[in-house]
Amino acid sequence: MRIDGGFYMYWEYEELFEAFNEMYQGYRAEIMRSTEALSRTLGEFETTMNLGIFEKSIVMIAYGEILLTHSEVFHKSKEYLLKELDRLDMQQLKEKLSLEQFDDVITRKTLLLEKIEQKPIAYHLDTIV
């Protein structure tokens, strides 16, 4: 949901996932490399992540899910993702979401943590397509 000035004060669950993915795809359409597009998208959502645990958890999961689509994961991106996912207070998040949404977040987070460990790691950004 957008209020005056374009600042997002309140997000719906699926809306935030969609907005993150749409922005990433928009940057990719500008012929940006996947890593640059993802970095710029995350930067655009920094203020949103600061709104609270709900927003931060969804942005971090959306970020991680896109990372999984890349052929390799930059080592600093993986470190950042794991650190931020570990910092999420799941009890506090449970209070902000419906049971269905909370179960979805847990499932996505668990899958993300499993799959990120299987991705090849890159130590130079210019090697990632």
Side-chain angles (χ1 to χ4, degrees), residues 14-29:
E14 286 297 326
E15 179 186 38
L16 185 48
F17 277 113
E18 289 170 13
F20 191 90
N21 284 297
E22 285 174 12
M23 184 169 287
Y24 171 74
Q25 293 303 329
Y27 283 134
R28 288 291 288 152

Side-chain angles (χ1 to χ4, degrees), residues 39-54:
S39 177
R40 292 207 42 201
T41 302
L42 187 62
E44 293 287 340
F45 279 85
E46 185 174 344
T47 300
T48 300
M49 286 195 298
N50 291 333
L51 293 175
I53 184 78
F54 168 81

Side-chain angles (χ1 to χ4, degrees), residues 76-89:
K76 293 286 186 185
S77 299
K78 179 180 175 180
E79 289 171 16
Y80 173 75
L81 175 66
L82 293 176
K83 180 179 83 174
E84 293 301 322
L85 288 176
D86 188 51
R87 285 182 170 175
L88 294 178
D89 182 336

Side-chain angles (χ1 to χ4, degrees), residues 64-80:
E65 288 175 342
I66 291 173
L67 262 181
L68 291 179
T69 68
H70 297 178
S71 59
E72 296 178 306
V73 175
F74 183 57
H75 70 104
K76 293 286 186 185
S77 299
K78 179 180 175 180
E79 289 171 16
Y80 173 75

